[in-house]
Amino acid sequence: MRRLVVTIILAKLIRPVIPMDINVKMDDLSEKENAFNDSIQAGKVIEPKDWMPEKYRKQLLRMMSQHAHSEVVGMLPEGNWISRAPSLARKAILIAKVQDEAGHGLYIYSAAETLGMDRSEMIDQLLSGKAKYSSIFNYPTLTWADIGAIGWLVDGAAIVNQTVLAKCSYGPYSRAMLRICREENFHNKQGYQILAYLMRGTQEQKDMAQDAMNRWWWPALMMFGPSDKESPNSADLLKWKVKLFTNDDLRQRFIDRTVEQAQAIGLKIPDDKLKWNEETRHYDFGEINWDEFFQVINGNGPCNKLRLKQRNDAHANGQWVRDAAKAYAAKKKVN
Amino acid sequence: MMTDLNKALIDFCLRIADNSLIHAQRISEWTGHGPILEEDIAMSNVALDLIGQSRGFYTYAAQIEGDGKTEDFYAFRRGEREFRNKLMVEQPDNKDFGFTMMKLFLNGCFDYLMFRDLMKSTDETISGLAAKSIKEVTYHVRHAGDWIVRLGDGTEESHQRIQNSLNELWPYTNELFEQDSVDALLISNGIAFDKEKFRDEWTKMVHEIFAKATLPVPENNTYSPTGGLKGIHSEHLGYLLAEMQYLPRTYPDAVW
Ligand SMILES: [Fe+2]
Ligand SMILES: [Fe+2]
Ligand SMILES: [Fe+2]
């Protein structure tokens, strides 16, 4: 079994905040910004010490912290089945998988810290409900098949997203994505394998798998976000190569690669309009229920309250431990 | 016809495997709920190690027993009276991190010394499993020991809390050293070793960390829970198994 080793940094030094260039005059700024935009067009990778427009920094910090929060909140629905995994092998794989997500959270938090915000501050924003995370994790895991569906569909969608982010213009983010993508492939495979086993099992197992498919398919498509026409930040992000493709492009890419995988194990995709289009060389698909998406994003999904409570409980429950570690580290420094 | 020695060997393996599995089941409750992200990772590592150990010993037992037995049979198809883990590891942690670390430390020090002996076992499978396990347990003991020191010598609250965990778990440590005719037979064959012989070393090991953690060790108690060797457990084990075994029990013909 693969194990992840991360050094515990208890008395973590606060990273130096990246100095913001506040003395630049307005026309200077637009000149700098033009040069910045040009360099990105020329394929330059931006590093923490490089000058960057404040809006670029802010957008990236928002995206990266949301991504890190998603990894961490994403541990909850899957963690829900660790104690009930149906074999020792599945239990070990699931623990390793959820553990990877904790590692992803860590890498992305530290990559985001290079933009000038401390991890603890980002976590406070998550706990207070101010920061968002992927809406998919506000759905419940009701049966074992859901663990398969998450690995296959949710991590599958994440791979499509992250493979592209690995080529984004911000160096620390792109490197974090590169590292993560390798692990995501294992997540994707183990999920698909869970469903493949169910689909060649008893009738009850097949029903369980199809039911999970029915419940997770549409929310998985929503993971790519609303159509770019309704995505307020898209234009800037595309210009800065923080995004390289539109939400709709990526969604289409995900559908195209997933449909055949479903067919291969006999799962039906719950969309009557799904059909191969010979002209576009893509699958056509039905209307996504964006009302539902916005409901969930705005806190009214089936598990929003639960997920936030679980994170807050864990945080509160561990406060005495973190306090003790800090106090102990301080004592050792003095002595 | 199975020999008495083989019967004893199966029992011996199941005891170790059950203990590691039930311990892992408890520790894995932390995945996603740790005090810091780094600890989610560390505790998941520990749970994975312990599951790995249980699978190794179950598989060996299955090999000796034959009759279509598998690791999953032992883990998922046996009832509460058949499990042979020590009572300490089945105790609920109730998301008390200090309690978890104390359990990991007390049981880990014992496992460390046990595996160190078993590396010299005349049974090559046992000595091989022990050699693999001892590396993992060494890390568990160090990790838990570090936390006990931090918590003991941290804040007033953490000192009190980890002291409470020690007081609560201390009575369970006697059971760790219990042995019976199964052990006797294996000891006489050079397969296992007398646990009494490392009891002093265990006591020294744990006292050393408790001194560093500024934690007074409780008086030797008259009350000491026992029963694991005979499959007589606390009420907690039944619930743990009900949850862990629910899928294979509900769908007896299913393959996962
Ligand atoms: Fe991830
Ligand atoms: Fe991700
Ligand atoms: Fe993943």
Side-chain angles (χ1 to χ4, degrees), chain B residues 16 21 25 32 44 84 104 113-114 122 128 134 141-142 167-169 171 179 187 193 211 217 219-220 239 245 247 250:
Chain B
I16 295 176
L21 175 60
Q25 181 76 359
S44 305
R84 293 292 182 263
L104 182 61
L113 296 167
M114 176 184 73
T122 51
I134 198 163
V141 167
R142 194 182 336 122
N167 296 348
E168 202 178 319
L169 286 167
Q179 351 188 47
I187 290 168
F193 303 89
V217 179
E219 298 284 300
N220 249 345
Y239 291 96
Q245 299 179 335
L247 278 173
T250 311

Side-chain angles (χ1 to χ4, degrees), chain B residues 108-178:
Chain B
C109 288
F110 176 87
D111 279 357
Y112 173 83
L113 296 167
M114 176 184 73
F115 285 132
R116 195 185 61 185
D117 277 351
L118 289 178
M119 282 167 65
K120 296 173 294 193
S121 173
T122 51
D123 182 304
E124 274 174 23
T125 307
I126 298 277
S127 67
L129 288 169
K132 180 182 165 286
S133 305
I134 198 163
K135 289 186 206 128
E136 298 162 346
V137 176
T138 305
Y139 162 76
H140 303 171
V141 167
R142 194 182 336 122
H143 187 74
D146 285 351
W147 269 111
I148 288 168
V149 172
R150 270 181 220 123
L151 296 173
D153 195 13
T155 63
E156 224 168 282
E157 185 193 357
S158 70
H159 178 83
Q160 198 47 58
R161 288 182 71 148
I162 193 70
Q163 181 73 57
N164 290 347
S165 297
L166 172 56
N167 296 348
E168 202 178 319
L169 286 167
W170 191 250
Y172 289 91
T173 56
N174 280 326
E175 195 197 5
L176 300 177
F177 293 90
E178 279 180 12

Side-chain angles (χ1 to χ4, degrees), chain A residues 67 70-71 101 104 108 137 155 158-159 162 177 180 184:
Chain A
H67 191 166
S70 302
E71 304 286 348
E101 307 300 1
H104 297 174
I108 303 171
F137 301 120
D155 289 78
I159 289 171
Q162 291 171 174
M177 288 304 103
I180 285 172
E184 295 297 0

Side-chain angles (χ1 to χ4, degrees), chain B residues 161-212:
Chain B
R161 288 182 71 148
I162 193 70
Q163 181 73 57
N164 290 347
S165 297
L166 172 56
N167 296 348
E168 202 178 319
L169 286 167
W170 191 250
Y172 289 91
T173 56
N174 280 326
E175 195 197 5
L176 300 177
F177 293 90
E178 279 180 12
Q179 351 188 47
D180 61 10
S181 56
V182 167
D183 298 272
L185 184 57
L186 295 181
I187 290 168
S188 68
N189 281 277
I191 294 172
F193 303 89
D194 186 355
K195 291 160 189 162
E196 259 328 303
K197 289 204 172 133
F198 62 69
R199 193 174 190 134
D200 287 345
E201 200 178 343
W202 179 86
T203 307
K204 217 182 123 219
M205 231 172 133
V206 300
H207 277 247
E208 213 167 275
I209 288 293
F210 295 146
K212 267 199 204 166

